[in-house]
Amino acid sequence: MTAFTRAIVRPPAANFAQGLTSVDLGKPDVSLALEQHARYCAALEQCGLALTRLPADARFADSTFVEDTAIVTDRCAILTRPGAASRAGEVAAIEPVLRGKFERTHAIVAPGTVDGGDICQAGNHFFIGISERTNAEGARQLATILEQEGFTSAAIDIRGVDGILHLKSGISCLGDNRLVLIDALAARAEFRSCEIVRIAAEESYAANFLRINESVIVSAGFPQFESRVRKFGYPLIALDMSEFRKMDGALSCLSLRF
Ligand code: CIR
């Protein structure tokens, strides 16, 4: 399991509620989102991470979801090319920050598109979701870059899987060769070499969580999943994510961890 020491975060801007969403959970309360974001940052610090806190950026209503702008590894950073037109400028905003922290940076170029939320790392292997945001050309470019850097990867087509925006809305790596999956993805051959932990249908939002060093950060309100994580023996931190969920966001989207 990669040891993480740092993370990059950006709080929601005043126009956060004007971002993209495909769910019908009502408008987010920006001041509550800011409180939830502050607790999220405190949880990352509790897990041992030093944070780079970028300023809120109201030019892009979705810019708090920094995960989508890059894939960061222990070898390099890869700037993405987000699939939603309204988010395209977010990469230029984060690029100088990443160039200052990584010796090598790569970039996805047109006509490829990749959202970081579609990329799930499991050790030295990456699952690359092909979605409404990440296209086949973006996935191909990313696989080539990852191979140059000594990683392996597999593409997972999630178009047509109901209720998930990104691959990581339905899968997270628990570490120790365990993958947590929603039912719709659990039978895919690409995951067979891992121990599969299935998420109950009514708890599918919990499939996006963070394993950071020894700890696991989960979304609050999913008791079956919480008790499974506790049984595996991982220290657990549960965070209320209600306002980010209203905008299709979850735990992983709010940071770049490396
Ligand atoms: C969007 O639709 O792009 C944002 N409202 C949510 C992005 C969530 N990001 C992620 O899962 N990595």
Coordinates of all heavy atoms in Angstrom, one line a residue, residues 63 67 85 121 177 185 204 242 256:
S63 N -14.9 23.4 -8.9 CA -13.4 23.2 -8.7 C -13.0 22.6 -7.3 O -11.8 22.3 -7.2 CB -12.8 24.6 -8.9 OG -13.3 25.6 -8.0
E67 N -9.9 16.2 -7.5 CA -9.4 14.9 -8.0 C -9.6 14.7 -9.5 O -8.8 14.0 -10.1 CB -10.3 13.8 -7.3 CG -10.0 12.4 -7.9 CD -10.8 11.3 -7.2 OE1 -12.0 11.3 -7.4 OE2 -10.2 10.5 -6.6
A85 N -17.3 20.3 -20.4 CA -16.8 21.5 -21.0 C -16.6 22.6 -19.9 O -15.6 23.3 -19.8 CB -17.7 22.1 -22.1
Q121 N -6.6 3.4 -8.4 CA -5.3 2.7 -8.3 C -5.4 1.6 -7.2 O -5.9 1.8 -6.1 CB -4.2 3.7 -7.8 CG -2.9 3.1 -7.7 CD -1.7 4.1 -7.5 OE1 -2.0 5.3 -7.2 NE2 -0.5 3.7 -7.5
N177 N -5.1 -6.0 -1.1 CA -5.7 -6.7 -2.3 C -7.2 -6.8 -2.2 O -7.8 -7.7 -2.8 CB -5.1 -8.1 -2.4 CG -5.3 -8.7 -3.8 OD1 -5.2 -8.0 -4.8 ND2 -5.7 -10.0 -3.9
L185 N -20.9 -3.9 -10.7 CA -19.5 -4.1 -11.2 C -18.8 -5.4 -10.7 O -17.7 -5.7 -11.1 CB -18.6 -2.9 -10.8 CG -19.0 -1.5 -11.4 CD1 -18.2 -0.4 -10.8 CD2 -18.8 -1.5 -12.9
S204 N -24.9 2.0 -1.7 CA -23.9 2.1 -2.8 C -23.1 3.4 -2.8 O -21.9 3.4 -3.2 CB -24.6 1.9 -4.2 OG -25.6 2.9 -4.3
S242 N -23.2 15.1 3.0 CA -24.5 15.4 2.4 C -24.4 16.5 1.3 O -25.0 16.3 0.2 CB -25.5 15.8 3.5 OG -25.0 17.0 4.1
L256 N -6.4 15.4 -3.9 CA -5.4 14.7 -4.7 C -4.4 14.2 -3.6 O -3.8 15.1 -2.9 CB -4.7 15.5 -5.7 CG -5.5 15.9 -6.9 CD1 -4.9 17.0 -7.7 CD2 -5.6 14.6 -7.8

